[in-house]
Every structure is written in structure tokens, then in C-alpha cells.
Amino acid sequence: MSFDLSLNTGTTPKLSLQEAVDAVAAAGLRHIGPWRHLLEQAGGAEKAAQIISGAGLTATTLCRGGFLTPADAEGRSAALESNRAAIREAATIGTRELIMVVGGLPSAAHLLGGTGDRADRSVVDARARVADGIAELVPYAAEHDVRLVLEPLHPMYAADRAVLSTLGEALEIAAPHPAETVGVVVDTFHVWWDPQLQQQIARAGREGRLASYQVCDFNLPIADDALKSRGMMGDGHVDFPTISRWVADAGYTGPVEVEIFNREINDQDAAVTLETMKERYAELVKPFLRAASADASSAPTSSATV
Amino acid sequence: MSFDLSLNTGTTPKLSLQEAVDAVAAAGLRHIGPWRHLLEQAGGAEKAAQIISGAGLTATTLCRGGFLTPADAEGRSAALESNRAAIREAATIGTRELIMVVGGLPSAAHLLGGTGDRADRSVVDARARVADGIAELVPYAAEHDVRLVLEPLHPMYAADRAVLSTLGEALEIAAPHPAETVGVVVDTFHVWWDPQLQQQIARAGREGRLASYQVCDFNLPIADDALKSRGMMGDGHVDFPTISRWVADAGYTGPVEVEIFNREINDQDAAVTLETMKERYAELVKPFLRAASADASSAPTSSATV
């Protein structure tokens, strides 16, 4: 069945992998997108794979590789090594889709606990290092049948987390590589504002690179911890019907992941979160995820034909 | 003299127009970019014009028109009326450049004290209303010899303040209109992250629409009031040398305005702010604002030739 709902474990950060898997199964869902630290806590990727498949679930993505922007040789080498490990882990838990948050500027690296040259603010150079890093990882990813899924992040995170801010730029970095090895993810929180969103989603579909669709709302005011400004679908300002139509028009039929960093949601009972998630998905997302051909008359503009 | 430094009064929000003018003159500067409420407080645009010219200063911009996104007839009519008044005020204080913050989504209008349909999250429709509003204002602006200067705002403000998030999209909305009547402003805080920035600045130059260059830094962490995350040049993560080179390569030779919303800077003595502003400008901006022809050998890539 297509468009299955998947819980990204960033939504339930207090749960272990086993607890998250149990909560997902109890909610009647069959998919989960785990973060790497949960695999480690569970005793490694093999063990995590058993926990996931033991409950009859499938992993939709692994979060996350990336942080490819260190300018120094040591930082760069460590980043590549960490990404190779992430590729192996993705393969082990049975997903092809490794989400890549590409990293920010050296000038902001210290804010996330890393080192970095606080004078180096060149976003142009940082993007070039991302492209180089991806190129370096592609053979290893292909060998493990894993796809590096580039995630454009909201520009409010461009300095510290990802110098990749638009789907168009993600597709440019992906372009030199095979579509089965480098893809992109559409996360509504990050890209809803982009005036080129419709055309770039259509392009991602045409190029066979649309690897994941993640839904979560953009709340205002921005939370005091800006990372926690993500909201449950319907609570913020994202136009889910329109973006979901564009995604479906682009030919996407895969799972839909919900990844919400939000203090209130992260603190509440996961069963409550999962129920709300299912309701909002059924109301705001799923009805609009019909293939273009089945909906040609009501879709205002078919981006697939642009 | 080109590239003159100008104080945008958003940087010194506690000062009246007279006080801001006095501070600017005392700092040895000759330019000021006032906000509209200061004109009103001063007793109207005529009076404001006397205050500005009385100190030997010139107005570089007027902030701001815009907020053209109401979906209801009443809100739309009020917005157009307010913009016509802003056009007259700009002409009266002697600047051609009326900065336009185009407005956000109806779903977020209540956050800024307005009304609006909280269900209306269509950014596509809101942008269309911006284009319509600009088209409606163009004849009036032309008649008063004023330019509507579209300001792309950082996407973190797309929901509540401006559905216009990129220079490229601003140029698309400007395209149907004469360059002397619809222009764009490059504000480093808002656009530094844009992967298309160099090419769109070059395009703005080619099209004769580069009406203003505003400098201010992007600070992290994002302030609890997100609007106050702007910083003094050098305190955050913006690469001023690179962007300034692109602006100069595009042929811009006008004034450079400093507009910083930041609690600490806004609270401190304006004389201190102005001195720091001059130092940072001299260090991080001005040396890179050389015309492309004078700097062809050292400029890494001349965007003017792209």
C-alpha cells in the first residue's frame, strides 16, 4: 500500500527504539524512520534491525548522515568515516534512504559542539565541500545499495546545520550522480516558502530522485530553541494539500514520514502524538496524495507537465 | 561620492527623527533611511523633510510600504491606500526608494495585530495578490517619481511578514514593470543563504533594478524575538566581502544602509552604534565595493559576466 504513514523517531525523542517500535505497532502503523543514536543505544544496527522487523515494521529512512562541511583535513576525514558507518547502518536496518543534513559554516560549527574556523563564513566554499563529499561517498553508497538523500533545510539553519537551503540546489548537487544513489527529500517545514517548490518537486520526480516526503508544520512564533519550531500538521502555516498534490503529481508513492521537533509534542505521551498524527494526516495530507492521472480534473496545475 | 553609509532608523528605534538626524550628522555621515512612523511623530512628511535637509542630510530610502496580501476587499483597499500615502511621503522627503515588505499569509495576519483568514495558508495565492497590488500601485508611484523597492525577506518571516523570500522571485514580480518604478533591495540578513544570490544580484544590476544595498549580520542563536536576530556586521555569519563584491560587480554605486534590529544594539547609545557601524563598514564592506572593472584581477568570479 502506498503513502503509508511513518513515525520519524525525532517526534518521540524520549523513547528507545524498542519503545518507539512498540508505540508505532500499537498505533496500527507499519513504518518507522529511526535516528542513528537509537541504533547505537539498542546495541548496534543488527540488533536494531531485529527490533524493527520483530514487530513487523519496516524502516523508511535512517536519520542522518551529512555534516560534510569541515574545511580541515581531520574534520573532513572524520565526517566521511561517520557517513560510511551510516551507510552500513542504513543497509543493515533495511532502508535504502539515508537522510543527509549536509552541515553548516565553519563559523558556526562551535555552536553544535564542533570545531571550525570562526572566520570562515563562505557559503559558496561550504557548498563546494558538500558536493565533493557527496561525490566521495557515492561509490560506497552504491556498493551498499543505499541512497544519499539530500535534505534542504530551512534557511534559518543555513549557518549552523545545512548550507543546502532549496530543493533546486539539492538537485544540482545530486545531478552528477545516478538517481538510485543520490536523491532528495521534501520536508514541508523546510521548503514550504520556496517560490520554486512546485517546479523543483516536479523536476525531482522526473529525475527519479524524490526519495522521501516528510510532513510537519511551520509554527509561529519561532520557538526560543529555533529547532523546536516544527509543529503538528494543521497547527502552523504550511499548505499541506497543495504541497501534497505537487508531490503526488511528481509520481511519489512512497511512505510519508512525520518528524516534529516541538517541546510540547516531544514531551507528551507517544500514543497521543501518534493518534493526532494519524488524524491530521488523514485530514490534511492523504486525501491530496492521489496520482496526477487520477486527479487531473481537480488539480489546479499539474506540475508533472511543467 | 558613492557607497555612502546610511543609518536606517530601525537601528536606533528609541530616537526621534530629529535625534536620529542629529546623531547621524554628529557621526559625520550624510544619509539616513527613516521609517514612516518617525515622519508621523515629527508632524508629517513636510516637517520631516525639513528636519532631514536642515541638517544637510539626504534620505536614502523610506521604510516601508507593502503588506499587500490581505485577501478581503476591505483589507486590500486599506493596504493600497496606505501605500499611496507612503509613496507621497517618500516623494516629500526626497527619496525615490520606497522599501516594500510585501506581507505574509492571512493565516498569520493576526500575529501582527491584523485580521485575516486563519485557514488561508496559500503562499501561491498570497504572492499573486502581491503581484496584483504592485501592478495597481505602479502608475501612482510613477506619477510621484517613486520606485517601489521589493524586499525579499528571510524565509523565517515568510508566514507573517513577506511571502517574497528570494531576490529571484522579487525580480519576477518586478519584471512586468519599468525598472525606474519597481526595483529590489539586497539586505544581507535576508538573502545571504540563497544559492542563486550571485546570479540574481547580477540580474538585478543588468535590469537596472538594484535600488538599495542594506547590510546587517545574521546572528546565532536566533533571538527569542526572531525579528531581533539581526546583528552588527562581523558579529554573525554573513560573508560581507563576497556579497559586497557581487553588488559592486552588478554596477551598484548607491548608498549602503545599515538596518539592525537587535535588542542590545537598539538599547545602546546611538553614538556608539554609529561608530561601530562605521568601523565595521570600513573593514568588512567598503573595501569590497569596488566596481568590477577596477577589480577584475582579484575578483574570483565576476557575476556581471555570468
Side-chain angles (χ1 to χ4, degrees), chain B residues 6-7 31-34 58-62 95-97 211-212 255 257:
Chain B
S6 175
L7 175 77
H31 298 280
I32 192 165
T58 303
T60 47
T61 62
L62 177 64
T95 179
R96 295 202 70 244
E97 317 299 354
S212 176
E257 221 172 279

Side-chain angles (χ1 to χ4, degrees), chain A residues 107 121 127 193 234 236-238, chain B residues 107 121 127 193 234 236-238:
Chain A
S107 66
R121 299 173 170 91
R127 282 200 198 102
W193 55 270
H237 301 278
V238 169
Chain B
S107 66
R121 299 172 169 90
R127 283 199 198 101
W193 57 270
H237 301 278
V238 169

Side-chain angles (χ1 to χ4, degrees), chain B residues 103-177:
Chain B
L105 300 174
S107 66
H110 62 289
L111 296 171
L112 293 188
T115 56
D117 178 356
R118 295 196 190 185
D120 184 349
R121 299 172 169 90
S122 174
V123 65
V124 174
D125 292 351
R127 283 199 198 101
R129 291 194 296 276
V130 170
D132 289 349
I134 294 297
E136 204 148 335
L137 291 169
V138 158
Y140 195 81
E143 195 179 304
H144 289 78
D145 195 25
V146 164
R147 175 150 62 176
L148 306 170
V149 181
L150 301 173
E151 179 161 21
L153 255 58
H154 193 286
M156 78 168 87
Y157 310 125
D160 55 349
R161 284 191 169 77
V163 289
L164 199 48
S165 306
T166 63
L167 197 55
E169 185 65 10
L171 289 167
E172 287 302 308
I173 289 181
H177 309 292

Side-chain angles (χ1 to χ4, degrees), chain B residues 177-217:
Chain B
H177 309 292
E180 63 269 23
T181 311
V182 185
V184 296
V185 48
V186 172
D187 179 316
T188 53
F189 174 90
H190 292 307
V191 299
W192 69 270
W193 57 270
D194 185 351
Q196 297 189 9
L197 188 58
Q198 181 178 15
Q199 74 190 78
Q200 298 301 333
I201 288 175
R203 175 184 168 198
R206 277 198 310 275
E207 297 181 356
R209 298 191 194 270
L210 197 42
S212 176
Y213 181 40
Q214 299 186 338
V215 293
C216 126
D217 216 328

Side-chain angles (χ1 to χ4, degrees), chain B residues 14-306:
Chain B
K14 297 186 164 182
L15 304 190
S16 68
L17 182 63
Q18 183 69 61
E19 289 166 341
V21 159
D22 291 346
V24 166
L29 301 182
R30 302 186 304 131
H31 298 280
I32 192 165
W35 277 62
R36 287 183 70 193
H37 62 274
L38 291 194
L39 274 49
E40 194 185 336
Q41 287 166 13
E46 292 277 4
K47 194 91 187 176
Q50 290 164 16
I51 292 171
I52 294 168
S53 65
L57 302 192
T58 303
T60 47
T61 62
L62 177 64
C63 282
R64 63 189 183 189
F67 289 88
L68 291 166
T69 50
D72 60 304
E74 193 180 347
R76 180 177 177 75
S77 166
L80 292 172
E81 197 40 60
S82 171
N83 277 285
R84 288 189 197 99
I87 288 167
R88 293 191 299 270
E89 290 165 23
T92 302
I93 66 164
T95 179
R96 295 202 70 244
E97 317 299 354
L98 175 62
I99 303 293
M100 302 287 283
V101 173
V102 302
L105 300 174
S107 66
H110 62 289
L111 296 171
L112 293 188
T115 56
D117 178 356
R118 295 196 190 185
D120 184 349
R121 299 172 169 90
S122 174
V123 65
V124 174
D125 292 351
R127 283 199 198 101
R129 291 194 296 276
V130 170
D132 289 349
I134 294 297
E136 204 148 335
L137 291 169
V138 158
Y140 195 81
E143 195 179 304
H144 289 78
D145 195 25
V146 164
R147 175 150 62 176
L148 306 170
V149 181
L150 301 173
E151 179 161 21
L153 255 58
H154 193 286
M156 78 168 87
Y157 310 125
D160 55 349
R161 284 191 169 77
V163 289
L164 199 48
S165 306
T166 63
L167 197 55
E169 185 65 10
L171 289 167
E172 287 302 308
I173 289 181
H177 309 292
E180 63 269 23
T181 311
V182 185
V184 296
V185 48
V186 172
D187 179 316
T188 53
F189 174 90
H190 292 307
V191 299
W192 69 270
W193 57 270
D194 185 351
Q196 297 189 9
L197 188 58
Q198 181 178 15
Q199 74 190 78
Q200 298 301 333
I201 288 175
R203 175 184 168 198
R206 277 198 310 275
E207 297 181 356
R209 298 191 194 270
L210 197 42
S212 176
Y213 181 40
Q214 299 186 338
V215 293
C216 126
D217 216 328
F218 183 91
N219 282 6
L220 282 180
I222 291 168
D224 53 355
D225 174 355
L227 199 64
K228 302 283 177 69
S229 284
R230 299 168 69 103
M232 185 60 74
M233 297 81 79
D235 287 353
H237 301 278
V238 169
D239 181 356
F240 289 102
T242 298
I243 299 177
S244 297
R245 259 192 220 107
W246 293 343
V247 165
D249 283 353
Y252 185 78
T253 57
V256 179
E257 221 172 279
V258 176
E259 184 186 32
I260 306 176
F261 309 131
N262 173 300
R263 196 160 288 129
E264 191 183 331
I265 292 172
N266 294 166
D267 282 350
Q268 78 190 0
D269 185 346
V272 173
T273 302
L274 279 153
E275 280 314 301
T276 312
M277 212 174 104
K278 284 162 64 181
E279 286 166 21
R280 301 294 179 85
Y281 176 69
E283 179 193 344
L284 293 169
V285 179
K286 178 111 197 214
F288 308 95
L289 282 171
R290 290 169 296 192
S293 57
D295 191 35
S297 58
S298 65
T301 309
S302 170
S303 60
T305 63
V306 168

Side-chain angles (χ1 to χ4, degrees), chain A residues 231-244:
Chain A
M232 185 60 73
M233 299 80 80
D235 287 353
H237 301 278
V238 169
D239 181 355
F240 289 101
T242 298
I243 298 177
S244 296

Side-chain angles (χ1 to χ4, degrees), chain A residues 194-203 246 249 301-303 306:
Chain A
D194 184 351
Q196 296 189 10
L197 187 58
Q198 181 178 15
Q199 74 192 77
Q200 297 300 334
I201 288 175
R203 174 183 169 200
W246 293 344
D249 284 352
T301 310
S302 171
S303 59
V306 167

